Amino acid sequence: METMSSIECFVAAADAGSFSAAARRLGLTSAAVGKNVARLETNLGVRLFHRSTRKLTLTEAGERFQLEVGGGLETIRNAVANLASAGGQPAGNLKVSMGTGFGREYVVPLLGEFLERYPGISPDWHFDNRPVDLITESFDAAIGGGIELSPGVVARELAPAHRVLLASPAYLAAHAPLRTPADLPQHDGILIRSPQTGRVRSWTLRDRAGAQAPVDLKVKMTMSDPNVACEIAEMNMGITLVAMPHAVVYLERGTLVRVLPDWYVDGGMLSLYFTAARLLPAKTRVFVDFIVEQFRARKLAERFSAVK
């Protein structure tokens, strides 16, 4: 019977495409991963990888072995995680990805209550404005929008992912009136660069009747963070387009107001992503249930909707 560590190193290396990437994922050295895989190959009597200085690729036998053991290994991991709990309670390292501003505003304040319920869980939370690959990057869950549903990943919808135009009352009072989207080209734009592409994405506004119009602002400046864009808009420097979870903070404070309030961008849904394992680890299951519960209790879906 092969050791779990050898099989786990093989699966991680096959998923990542290199021993070094697998080592980072497993918290081992690259040499240790390579040694475990070599031991597995020796014991099985087959070569699992083609090795070169540039890349690591599976042999035909390796591809077949990956298909046969991959899902079973994940089930075993989850079963062990569910048993290895503190006093029968969910326990273990909980690796979650979320946007920086969103996480600080809506998730971090819940940390005390979550840990009071589940003291055996150790949060390992990553704040980054980018979609992550849950499986290859070994995340237990992620909160965001637009994450690709790769095989083995499911999404639990939390709220609409609407975006709205914002400006300060002083900016609007000092500039040409805005009555329709056709007036936008006369105004300064505080644009936001995509964290994935580094470019400014083109967005389309819509109203309740289904009419559509482009977001066409003069480029005054470009930022990489929505909260920074809102803070600059508070300084009366222009109009910005941000997701509602960011916008509501400034709208409720009264420092920014909606521009063309009948218009918004429909960006799909804000969702909670996690693996579709048959036996979901208890730590992940209780986190998913907790976040869904808190969204309902705090009526965040209603607050994040641009259609009132």
Side-chain angles (χ1 to χ4, degrees):
M1 176 66 70
E2 299 306 321
T3 65
M4 277 285 294
S5 59
S6 293
I7 296 175
E8 192 165 26
C9 285
F10 162 75
V11 171
D15 289 342
S18 75
F19 288 152
S20 57
R24 289 192 296 271
R25 174 176 170 179
L26 298 173
L28 301 171
T29 65
S30 181
V33 172
K35 187 178 295 183
N36 278 335
V37 171
R39 183 183 301 117
L40 180 62
E41 289 177 318
T42 298
N43 292 343
L44 294 177
V46 295
R47 181 172 291 278
L48 299 171
F49 289 107
H50 295 298
R51 296 164 173 82
S52 73
T53 56
R54 293 187 176 182
K55 62 180 180 178
L56 191 69
T57 57
L58 288 165
T59 63
E60 183 179 350
E63 290 177 354
R64 188 168 60 250
F65 190 60
Q66 182 190 27
L67 288 173
E68 291 173 347
V69 304
L73 180 61
E74 186 63 26
T75 299
I76 293 170
R77 283 199 201 103
N78 293 342
V80 171
N82 285 337
L83 286 175
S85 58
Q89 294 299 312
N93 191 63
L94 181 67
K95 187 177 178 183
V96 181
S97 170
M98 65 193 83
T100 306
F102 176 86
R104 291 176 64 182
E105 184 68 30
Y106 301 104
V107 184
V108 170
L110 306 176
L111 183 58
E113 182 177 349
F114 181 71
L115 291 180
E116 187 175 344
R117 292 192 198 181
Y118 309 109
I121 294 178
S122 176
D124 178 8
W125 291 357
H126 295 239
F127 300 91
D128 197 358
N129 297 324
R130 68 177 180 92
V132 297
D133 187 320
L134 268 72
I135 295 175
T136 60
E137 297 182 65
S138 300
F139 280 96
D140 295 298
I143 303 174
I147 295 179
E148 184 179 349
L149 282 181
S150 55
V153 176
V154 295
R156 182 82 175 265
E157 293 183 348
L158 297 173
H162 292 164
R163 294 173 182 267
V164 294
L165 292 161
L166 301 179
S168 69
Y171 173 87
L172 295 176
H175 292 78
L178 264 163
R179 297 185 180 90
T180 73
D183 297 321
L184 288 173
Q186 304 175 55
H187 289 267
D188 295 329
I190 306 166
L191 309 186
I192 301 174
R193 185 182 301 109
S194 165
Q196 292 81 48
T197 66
R199 301 185 181 93
V200 176
R201 180 175 170 180
S202 297
W203 297 100
T204 300
L205 293 166
R206 61 174 296 169
D207 65 8
R208 296 185 188 185
Q212 297 187 357
V215 177
D216 190 9
L217 293 160
K218 288 189 299 183
V219 181
K220 184 172 179 82
M221 61 187 79
T222 306
M223 300 291 148
S224 64
D225 183 87
N227 288 105
V228 170
C230 288
E231 290 168 11
I232 293 170
E234 286 182 308
M235 299 162 63
N236 314 320
M237 292 189 181
I239 298 172
T240 192
L241 176 75
V242 297
M244 280 295 288
H246 304 292
V248 294
V249 176
Y250 301 90
L251 291 171
E252 292 172 356
R253 193 186 296 163
T255 55
L256 296 178
V257 297
R258 282 184 64 175
V259 176
L260 302 174
D262 293 331
W263 295 80
Y264 65 97
V265 171
D266 186 352
M269 296 297 295
L270 175 70
S271 299
L272 179 55
Y273 300 85
F274 52 95
T275 56
R278 184 172 57 186
L279 184 60
L280 192 67
K283 62 180 182 178
T284 307
R285 186 179 65 252
V286 297
F287 176 76
V288 170
D289 292 342
F290 178 79
I291 293 297
V292 171
E293 170 196 315
Q294 293 298 321
F295 260 70
R296 288 175 180 163
R298 297 165 190 268
K299 300 187 183 303
L300 292 182
E302 292 88 339
R303 289 178 67 196
F304 294 169
S305 174
V307 182
K308 306 299 183 182

